[in-house]
């Protein structure tokens, strides 16, 4: 068994989903949450997919390599550009480091 971890994959589904939620109304959401969602999370998601996203074909190629391997790995990331964030999860199993760094990237990184 191999866990294939693709990270962000650029597809029509992802693009349509981001577009749909950017114009959706969320009447029961408090203003602060809506502000963070629209003004921070959505732009950061678009930027993440644009900068480190990969194609479905790239993911499929890695899956084919794993399937045809005589000794497949336990885990396989398909996107080297996304590896620094994945490493944070293994360095600190509690997840605190990953959350802190992604928080800084989202709220403190100059675009």
């Amino acid at each position: 068994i191999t866990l294939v971890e693709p990270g962000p994959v650029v597809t029509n589904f992802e693009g349509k989903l981001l577009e749909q939620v950017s114009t959706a109304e969320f009447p029961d959401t408090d203003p602060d949450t809506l502000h963070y969602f629209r003004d921070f999370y959505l732009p950061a998601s678009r930027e993440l997919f644009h900068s480190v996203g990969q194609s479905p074909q790239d993911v499929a190629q890695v899956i084919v390599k794993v399937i045809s391997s005589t000794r497949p790995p336990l885990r396989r990331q398909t996107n080297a550009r996304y590896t620094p964030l994945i490493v944070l999860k293994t360095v600190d199993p509690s997840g605190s480091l990953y959350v802190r760094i992604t928080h800084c990237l989202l709220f403190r990184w100059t675009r």
Side-chain angles (χ1 to χ4, degrees):
I1 296 173
T2 298
L3 172 62
V4 177
E5 301 173 277
V9 180
V10 179
T11 64
N12 288 337
F13 175 81
E14 165 265 330
K16 288 177 185 177
L17 178 64
L18 286 175
E19 185 59 37
Q20 183 179 3
V21 297
S22 68
T23 59
E25 295 295 323
F26 302 97
D28 296 330
T29 305
D30 67 275
D32 284 341
T33 301
L34 196 55
H35 163 69
Y36 286 120
F37 178 71
R38 286 203 170 124
D39 298 335
F40 290 95
Y41 178 78
L42 286 178
S45 291
R46 284 188 185 97
E47 190 173 321
L48 177 72
F49 275 87
H50 179 72
S51 63
V52 299
Q54 60 187 334
S55 73
Q57 292 80 9
D58 293 335
V59 175
Q61 287 176 350
V62 173
I63 292 171
V64 167
K65 286 181 185 178
V66 167
I67 290 171
S68 61
S69 174
T70 55
R71 293 187 55 121
L74 178 63
R75 299 175 83 158
R76 176 66 164 89
Q77 284 86 30
T78 66
N79 190 337
R81 294 171 292 190
Y82 198 61
T83 301
L85 288 176
I86 298 299
V87 169
L88 296 175
K89 293 179 180 181
T90 58
V91 170
D92 176 19
S94 75
S96 297
L97 181 60
Y98 179 82
V99 169
R100 252 192 345 265
I101 296 298
T102 53
H103 180 271
C104 287
L105 289 172
L106 185 59
F107 291 104
R108 295 194 176 102
W109 189 273
T110 55
R111 301 228 186 305

